[in-house]
Amino acid sequence: LDVAIKEINKLYGNNNVLLVQLPHKVGSPNNSELEFTKNLRNLSNNKIINLWEICPLQRSDFHTLDNHPNVEGYRKIKSCISVNNDISNFIKQ
């Protein structure tokens, strides 16, 4: 992961890369997952928005068998992205 992010940053520049951590399970991230975000921020030197932390999903937002967001889950993610000021400001740059 670190190598891939470094290559992306080399191509586009750190200021032109925004990492958005999406919810991948029910509820809010736990301490180890928040630590992962913190470590990723330190490694990549990129702005990271932990959408999972501010836009948690419920069990009904995921498919039953494969644990990916379903249509309603993606609608919620889309809604959270569309109202997030940090993402909007990044896009406007």
Side-chain angles (χ1 to χ4, degrees):
L1 183 65
D2 185 39
V3 173
I5 292 172
K6 284 180 181 178
E7 286 299 313
I8 291 168
N9 285 338
K10 191 185 315 180
L11 286 170
Y12 299 104
N14 286 21
N15 293 333
N16 297 317
V17 177
L18 175 67
L19 303 175
V20 179
Q21 187 173 3
L22 299 176
H24 70 269
K25 67 180 185 179
V26 175
S28 299
N30 63 29
N31 286 338
S32 67
E33 291 153 341
L34 291 172
E35 189 68 25
F36 172 82
T37 304
K38 179 182 171 185
N39 290 337
L40 183 60
R41 185 175 288 120
N42 292 337
L43 284 173
S44 68
N45 201 24
N46 293 97
K47 180 157 180 71
I48 298 174
I49 295 173
N50 189 338
L51 198 60
W52 184 12
E53 191 173 22
I54 58 177
C55 187
L57 299 182
Q58 306 303 311
R59 180 70 240 152
S60 61
D61 298 320
F62 288 91
H63 289 288
T64 304
L65 298 177
D66 69 4
N67 208 30
H68 286 87
N70 58 28
V71 171
E72 188 56 35
Y74 279 116
R75 280 191 186 124
K76 287 182 181 180
I77 291 170
K78 177 183 173 185
S79 175
C80 290
I81 288 171
S82 67
V83 299
N84 187 285
N85 289 331
D86 289 331
I87 294 174
S88 295
N89 291 335
F90 179 81
I91 292 170
K92 290 176 186 177
Q93 288 183 4

